[in-house]
Amino acid sequence: MAQAEYHVSELPGSALQASANFYGEHLAAAREAMGDDDLVIILPPADYDHTDWRRALARDLAREYAPARVNVMSAGDEAQKLALLKYLSDAKGVTGQYCQTHD
């Protein structure tokens, strides 16, 4: 199965506002981008208080779309983003995870 990517370049700084923005403005498009493939949602880096909603997003979408894999990642550095995408592409047992690069 191929790995589709859905990129979000900007979200509000507040965790609550960012979560609402993602679910209201991006969730349907992310689902559409997935098609019949695995999916990685790529979000911009954020403070620690965004972690819970991002983990829930990854977990809940992975459950909904199993056996397809869904992961969420936060990346700012391009090289680290590409390395993590490669890892997720090859790690066929990894799903429902929120992964962060250390930019």
Side-chain angles (χ1 to χ4, degrees):
M1 192 175 288
Q3 178 174 275
E5 299 172 14
Y6 181 78
H7 297 261
V8 177
S9 59
E10 289 185 29
L11 287 170
S14 156
L16 189 57
Q17 290 175 333
S19 174
N21 179 275
F22 180 85
Y23 283 101
E25 302 295 324
H26 297 281
L27 182 58
R31 289 176 183 216
E32 188 174 312
M34 184 175 186
D36 293 328
D37 297 328
D38 293 336
L39 176 66
V40 177
I41 298 172
I42 304 165
L43 302 176
D47 290 336
Y48 71 93
D49 57 338
H50 291 251
T51 301
D52 287 340
W53 76 263
R54 291 172 178 215
R55 282 184 181 153
L57 172 66
R59 178 193 65 228
D60 294 347
L61 285 176
R63 286 181 181 151
E64 184 174 336
Y65 287 99
R69 297 178 311 122
V70 180
N71 292 292
V72 176
M73 66 182 279
S74 171
D77 179 81
E78 188 68 18
Q80 289 184 11
K81 178 183 86 173
L82 294 174
L84 185 50
L85 284 170
K86 171 79 169 101
Y87 170 78
L88 291 172
S89 172
D90 294 340
K92 299 301 180 189
V94 176
T95 188
Q97 300 300 307
Y98 172 51
C99 307
Q100 302 173 69
T101 62
H102 298 283
D103 300 337

